[in-house]
Amino acid sequence: MKHRIVVLGAGYAGAFAAGNLARRLSPADTEITVVNAVPDFVERMRLHQLAVGQDVTFRRLADVFAGTGVRLRLARVTGIDPGRRTVAVTGEEGDDELTYDTLLYTLGSSADHHGVPGVAEHAFDVTGRSSALRLRERLAGLGEGGTVLVVGEGLTGIETATEIAESRPDLSVALAARGEPGAWLSPKARRHLRQAFDRLGITVHEHTAIEAVEPTRAIAADGMSIAADVTVWSAGFAVHPLAAAAGLEVAGTGQIVVDRTMRSVSHPDVYAAGDCAYAIGDNGRPLPMSCASAGLTNMQATAAIIARLTGTEVPVTGLKYHGNHISLGRRDAIFQMVDGGIRSKSWYLGGRTAARLKSGVLKGAGWGIVHPTFGMPKRKRRLAAAPYPAGAKAAA
């Protein structure tokens, strides 16, 4: 019987992982199934562009995985039973149950509302295609002089605010930050960021915590009212409680606690990658939820799965950041180099050169998605007679 690998989610981590597994494991021994709720690959790093009305092409997953041997199941995951090694799904084909021998959990994250009243009812976000399209429709309906407030000083908040301001100079755009936007950047890069805000006419409310969102305004902790025909919530990410409900060991964030090889510390048949994995980087700190983390963790997870199934030594891939790349509209960006402790170095790259570099990164990621198996090598690895006993906890 073939070894059944089920990948939950076809985002940056899941899509790359499924392709890498299909590329390196023999189809005579393995059966790879990807479960995803929507038929297209959603480039999350481009959703702020989609929200402001730019043309963003979404690639159909059926086309992405055509000819790779990867089976695509369009369905939403409703439950996991690690004891029985099954996944409950529901979709156009109705309710079903998939059985796995190895599970790779890459369901990503969504906007974290932090329990702030009114966010769920009145705010918009760019964490998913449907939510970005909802924001796109609302922005298109705003006339000259309309007000937009972006909440959150992280990468998503900065990129969203600058994209809206550049695309819609007729709108009044503001950014509410709990601290200082880009506080982690080097002094020169922070100065570049402030200049970009000034150039784009973005009003920045520093040290402003939003405690309520209403249809036409947001209320700060100090009682200040900020006019907002549209409030865009970019104040962090949260994972689905599915893993915790299944009995997998999770961190306080709800992320699956994994060892250095991205294997669940409580269930050895389960691996996690991307935003839903609580992984410790080479600097001893938890990896942040980001596309970069998705790349690092999916490479480690797939390398570990392949090694264990084929009876070879598990390699250790790097979990180290080299820098932050922040788009400031289409013609400006910041690339900030960081050290091993993720502290900003004095050197940074800004302006059109940095924007072209970011564009190249996005195009490279897109190419990798379209070519998930990178040409399908002629020789694939066969599985060992007994990769590891079902239910046994192998050494990390």
Side-chain angles (χ1 to χ4, degrees), residues 4-5 21 25 46 136 191 203 251-252:
R4 296 158 297 188
I5 301 174
L21 291 168
L25 292 173
R46 292 186 183 272
R136 178 182 179 129
R191 184 161 55 250
T203 301

Side-chain angles (χ1 to χ4, degrees), residues 22-191:
R23 177 174 180 255
R24 298 172 63 189
L25 292 173
S26 171
D29 300 328
T30 55
E31 178 182 290
I32 302 169
T33 301
V34 175
V35 182
N36 203 59
V38 297
D40 300 324
F41 175 85
V42 177
E43 291 189 69
R44 194 169 185 174
M45 290 191 292
R46 292 186 183 272
L47 288 179
H48 56 290
Q49 295 175 242
L50 176 68
V52 299
Q54 296 173 22
D55 292 330
V56 179
T57 301
F58 291 96
R59 298 165 177 85
R60 293 184 61 80
L61 290 170
D63 297 332
V64 168
F65 292 121
T68 66
V70 174
R71 299 182 179 186
L72 174 64
R73 181 65 182 271
L74 296 179
R76 181 171 56 86
V77 180
T78 58
I80 302 172
D81 187 338
R84 296 174 53 237
R85 290 191 293 182
T86 59
V87 177
V89 300
T90 185
E92 293 183 357
E93 301 176 29
D95 297 339
D96 197 4
E97 193 172 75
L98 306 178
T99 303
Y100 66 83
D101 297 301
T102 296
L103 181 70
L104 178 54
Y105 189 110
T106 64
L107 288 177
S109 63
S110 58
D112 190 346
H113 295 169
H114 298 289
V116 175
V119 173
E121 297 84 0
H122 307 301
F124 297 77
D125 66 73
V126 292
T127 59
R129 181 183 181 182
S130 59
S131 58
L133 288 173
R134 179 171 164 261
L135 174 58
R136 178 182 179 129
E137 182 179 3
R138 182 69 181 96
L139 290 174
L142 282 184
E144 184 175 354
T147 54
V148 177
L149 174 67
V150 178
V151 180
E153 67 270 31
L155 302 182
T156 302
I158 292 171
E159 292 194 334
T160 301
T162 53
E163 200 73 54
I164 293 173
E166 181 182 85
S167 299
R168 292 292 304 274
D170 59 315
L171 300 179
S172 176
V173 180
L175 177 73
R178 282 182 171 271
E180 176 191 357
W184 68 93
L185 297 171
S186 64
K188 290 182 179 179
R190 287 201 302 274
R191 184 161 55 250

